[in-house]
């Protein structure tokens, strides 16, 4: 019995503590919500850092909808209009921004790292669960490994026309939806091709959402923006 208890104790240490793990969310996931734990991990592996995208790539345009009421929730979800992502993700975005600039375009970012608590709120209140991550699994956004974005025309500063607005629940939001004007398909496919040639993968129902290839090695996070 003592041996079993010791083994259980040692297993729990790998997740900080069983009690903390289960208390973090109703799904028993291992979610990092302690800033000191996060900083200690970054000290050992700098690639784990959640980097401020705008500071790393000043030319990027931010349109952080969840810091406003202009989103599908109709309420402010973020206390500041910031975008963070893991260091390797930001390094790839920097390369993409340079590539786009040569062609007269630039990135506009709607969302990136998303604290896990926000994912729970989304799922509870969304009318269409197909367009929000299930908190029982967590989101790539929670890992700092997903970005929601589009492109702008650098000459005009205007958005390049895409199939739907950001966060649309329409069928046309699918990156494979074909009943669209040729120029819209061309714009969408150009964005997807650019992102996928630089280490990202578009998801099946949102032309704007790109997962970083290699996201599996990053923990789910619930560190508020204000601490980053």
């Amino acid at each position: 019995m003592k041996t079993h208890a010791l083994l259980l104790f040692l297993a729990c240490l790998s997740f900080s503590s069983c009690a903390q793990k289960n208390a973090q969310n109703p799904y028993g996931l291992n979610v990092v919500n302690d800033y000191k734990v996060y900083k200690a991990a970054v000290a050992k592996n700098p690639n784990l850092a959640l980097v401020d995208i705008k500071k790393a790539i000043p030319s990027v345009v931010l349109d952080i909808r969840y810091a406003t009421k202009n989103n599908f929730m109709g309420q402010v979800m973020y206390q500041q209009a910031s975008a963070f992502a893991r260091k390797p993700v930001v390094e790839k975005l920097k390369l993409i921004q340079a590539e786009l600039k040569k062609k007269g375009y630039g990135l506009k970012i709607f969302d990136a790292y998303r604290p896990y608590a926000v994912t729970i709120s989304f799922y509870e209140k969304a009318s269409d669960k197909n367009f929000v991550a299930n908190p029982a699994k967590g989101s790539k956004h929670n890992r700092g490994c997903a970005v929601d974005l589009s492109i702008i025309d650098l000459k005009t500063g205007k958005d390049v026309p895409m199939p739907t607005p950001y966060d649309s629940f329409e069928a046309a939001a699918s990156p494979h939806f074909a009943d669209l004007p040729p120029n819209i398909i061309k714009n969408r496919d150009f964005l997807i091709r650019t992102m996928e040639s630089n280490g990202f993968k578009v998801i099946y129902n949102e032309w704007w959402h790109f997962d970083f290839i290699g996201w599996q090695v990053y923990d789910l996070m619930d560190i508020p923006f204000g601490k980053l």
Side-chain angles (χ1 to χ4, degrees):
M1 190 68 177
K2 289 183 179 180
T3 301
H4 175 75
L6 177 61
L7 290 174
L8 180 60
F9 173 74
L10 292 174
C12 288
L13 285 179
S14 67
F15 293 104
S16 298
S17 79
C18 286
Q20 181 185 23
K21 176 187 174 186
N22 292 328
Q24 288 176 26
N25 59 82
Y27 305 98
L29 298 179
N30 182 33
V31 180
V32 177
N33 64 358
D34 187 318
Y35 182 71
K36 291 182 179 179
V37 171
Y38 159 70
K39 289 297 289 183
V42 171
K44 293 181 179 179
N45 181 359
N47 282 337
L48 299 179
L50 287 165
V51 176
D52 186 319
I53 297 174
K54 183 67 174 176
K55 288 183 179 179
I57 317 172
S59 59
V60 160
V61 173
L62 298 185
D63 184 5
I64 309 302
R65 301 290 180 86
Y66 299 130
T68 73
K69 292 184 179 180
N70 180 24
N71 57 65
F72 78 96
M73 296 283 286
Q75 63 186 81
V76 175
M77 303 301 297
Y78 295 164
Q79 295 308 305
Q80 62 190 71
S82 300
F84 299 88
R86 301 286 189 174
K87 184 179 178 181
V89 177
V90 177
E91 289 174 348
K92 287 290 187 180
L93 291 175
K94 187 179 292 187
L95 293 174
I96 291 167
Q97 182 75 340
E99 181 179 328
L100 288 172
K101 184 179 179 181
K102 295 176 182 178
K103 300 175 182 179
Y105 301 105
L107 291 172
K108 171 180 275 193
I109 295 179
F110 300 115
D111 195 23
Y113 163 65
R114 179 183 304 155
Y116 179 77
V118 177
T119 291
I120 293 178
S121 295
F122 282 176
Y123 196 75
E124 289 174 347
K125 298 179 181 181
S127 59
D128 188 338
K129 306 299 186 188
N130 291 317
F131 281 84
V132 291
N134 187 335
K137 297 180 179 179
S139 166
K140 312 300 187 302
H141 281 293
N142 304 146
R143 299 176 188 273
C145 292
V147 284
D148 294 345
L149 53 75
S150 188
I151 50 177
I152 61 168
D153 185 312
L154 293 181
K155 288 183 179 180
T156 65
K158 295 182 178 180
D159 293 347
V160 172
M162 291 291 171
T164 69
Y166 170 59
D167 257 358
S168 168
F169 289 0
E170 301 173 59
S174 167
H176 305 294
F177 190 81
D179 188 16
L180 295 165
N183 67 307
I184 299 296
I185 292 176
K186 180 180 178 181
N187 294 341
R188 179 195 67 193
D189 291 354
F190 168 70
L191 171 62
I192 294 172
R193 187 167 59 251
T194 301
M195 294 298 295
E196 293 195 338
S197 66
N198 283 281
F200 292 87
K201 181 69 177 177
V202 71
I203 66 171
Y204 73 98
N205 60 344
E206 298 175 349
W207 61 261
W208 59 81
H209 178 120
F210 295 89
D211 290 334
F212 179 65
I213 296 173
W215 60 265
Q216 296 90 340
V217 302
Y218 297 91
D219 286 333
L220 297 166
M221 307 290 288
D222 198 18
I223 307 293
F225 286 0
K227 290 188 176 182
L228 297 173

